[in-house]
Amino acid sequence: MTAQRRAMTFKGESSMNKKLKAGALGLASVLILAGCSGVEPNPGGFGFDVGSDETITFFATPGYDDTVSLTALWDVLLTERDYTVETQSVDLAAGFSGMARGDIDAYVDAWLPITHAPYIEPLRDQLVVFDEDEPIFDNNRLVFAVPESSPHNTVAEALAAGDQYGSEIIGIEAGSGLMGTLPSVLDAYGASDKFTVTAGSTPAMLASLQKATNDGKNVLVTLWTPHWAFSEMPIKALEDTEGAWGEADGSYLVTSQAFAEDHPDVAEWIKNSRIDDEQFSSLMFEVSQAATPQEGAKAWLEDPANRQHVDAWFD
């Protein structure tokens, strides 16, 4: 452990098991913690069988709304094409290790070249990383977020006024790439020893953010963009004037070696898919409102423009 990490104090999140408030957050918590269950084949699907008797196994980390949503979308799309799909809810380290062993087939939202590299690079010889082409999505950014009413607009301003935030940063899962990057960000702003970092869960962080906005109080949280919270809560991302969070990551497909060999058609569909900020944000919002991630993805596909867009991925 570096001196930089020792300077930070992490404490457990006592409210991890609290239910989120009513509305989008409450539903998001339920669907995230429930994981990604399979869906029945769509009876209105295609008239030809391009599927497989084998089960395609994705993994997604509970609380990562972008990954949960994109994985659910591919669950629905592949099920429509007569594939059997399941999603395991595990953290990043376990997911990529399982993929390297061949127990898991694919991850559809690997943030590269920065955030998820520490999990992928040690296993790269055992994985297939489809990062030679354009990313599925090209604008993933890690950020600090505060209520819109906060007087601060930059990371430097907020970190210099720690007392206005209770000298606390509310983070997400301790094993996430975001939390792994956070110490270097605080170090870049000379704030490593000025804040207590609460590592808990994404739903708990969102609940704290919602409560603060409801109560008109300040709170400083770690978040990422795009995320549905920016359209559903009065919050803002702080400008990172030092570039400490790094450049934007792309979303890439990573698979086991066996999957890339056995299902080249599916790998080709996923790696060649593209989604923009507006589409991704609206997909995450629909998933946050639904009883299950798959139901949210289906609701998103009911928009003719979205359906037309994704159907082109299979041309």
Side-chain angles (χ1 to χ4, degrees), residues 15-17 20 37-38 48 96 114 116 137 146 154 158 164 173 185 190 192 196 208 211-212 218 245 251 282 290 305:
S15 61
M16 283 178 63
N17 295 322
L20 298 181
S37 59
F48 53 90
F96 286 118
I114 301 171
H116 292 164
F137 176 73
V146 297
T154 70
Q164 296 188 37
E173 292 75 6
V185 175
S192 295
T196 295
S208 296
K211 186 177 188 305
N218 278 334
W245 282 116
S251 294
S282 64

Side-chain angles (χ1 to χ4, degrees), residues 39-272:
V39 295
E40 293 300 317
N42 183 350
F46 294 82
F48 53 90
D49 183 6
V50 296
S52 169
D53 292 335
E54 297 180 17
T55 297
I56 294 175
T57 304
F58 295 121
F59 87 85
T61 300
Y64 294 8
D65 297 345
D66 52 337
T67 306
V68 169
S69 299
L70 197 57
T71 304
L73 177 61
W74 277 105
D75 184 326
V76 171
L77 293 174
L78 292 175
T79 299
E80 289 177 348
R81 288 157 177 80
D82 296 325
Y83 287 88
T84 301
V85 181
E86 69 176 23
T87 300
Q88 294 187 14
S89 296
V90 296
D91 65 24
L92 290 171
F96 286 118
S97 295
M99 195 185 303
R101 293 192 305 270
D103 298 332
I104 295 172
D105 292 318
Y107 187 72
V108 300
D109 191 28
W111 283 33
L112 294 170
I114 301 171
T115 305
H116 292 164
Y119 305 96
I120 294 171
E121 290 305 322
L123 302 169
R124 199 173 181 101
D125 290 344
Q126 300 156 270
L127 303 172
V128 179
V129 184
F130 292 87
D131 61 350
E132 72 278 8
D133 299 317
E134 293 183 8
I136 296 167
F137 176 73
D138 64 0
N139 197 30
N140 294 307
R141 293 184 180 274
L142 303 177
V143 299
F144 285 114
V146 297
E148 190 68 46
S149 59
S150 168
H152 307 118
N153 295 306
T154 70
V155 174
E157 291 171 349
L159 294 184
D163 57 329
Q164 296 188 37
Y165 300 94
S167 298
E168 180 183 23
I169 296 170
I170 299 178
I172 60 171
E173 292 75 6
S176 66
L178 184 157
M179 295 299 282
T181 304
L182 179 58
S184 64
V185 175
L186 294 179
D187 185 59
Y189 284 95
S192 295
D193 59 350
K194 297 179 180 178
F195 285 84
T196 295
V197 176
T198 299
S201 69
T202 301
M205 175 275 293
L206 291 170
S208 296
L209 188 56
Q210 180 72 81
K211 186 177 188 305
T213 59
N214 289 344
D215 295 344
K217 296 182 178 180
N218 278 334
V219 68
L220 180 60
V221 307
T222 60
L223 197 50
W224 64 91
T225 63
H227 195 283
W228 59 264
F230 286 99
S231 62
E232 296 304 307
M233 298 186 205
I235 62 174
K236 59 186 175 183
L238 296 177
E239 182 183 358
D240 178 17
T241 55
E242 296 296 320
W245 282 116
E247 297 296 321
D249 272 320
S251 294
Y252 294 92
L253 170 68
V254 178
T255 75
S256 67
Q257 291 184 346
F259 181 81
E261 295 171 359
D262 296 342
H263 296 284
D265 49 351
V266 177
E268 188 77 8
W269 291 334
I270 297 175
K271 82 179 186 70
N272 289 334

Side-chain angles (χ1 to χ4, degrees), residues 39 42 46 69-81 274-275 279 282-287 290 293-314:
V39 295
N42 183 350
F46 294 82
S69 299
L70 197 57
T71 304
L73 177 61
W74 277 105
D75 184 326
V76 171
L77 293 174
L78 292 175
T79 299
E80 289 177 348
R81 288 157 177 80
R274 300 290 182 268
I275 192 167
Q279 292 165 334
S282 64
L283 172 61
M284 281 189 274
F285 177 72
E286 289 292 349
V287 168
Q294 289 82 3
E295 290 303 317
K298 288 179 181 179
W300 186 78
L301 287 169
E302 289 176 0
D303 184 313
N306 293 335
R307 171 58 77 172
Q308 182 179 16
H309 179 76
V310 302
D311 282 349
W313 297 346
F314 301 91

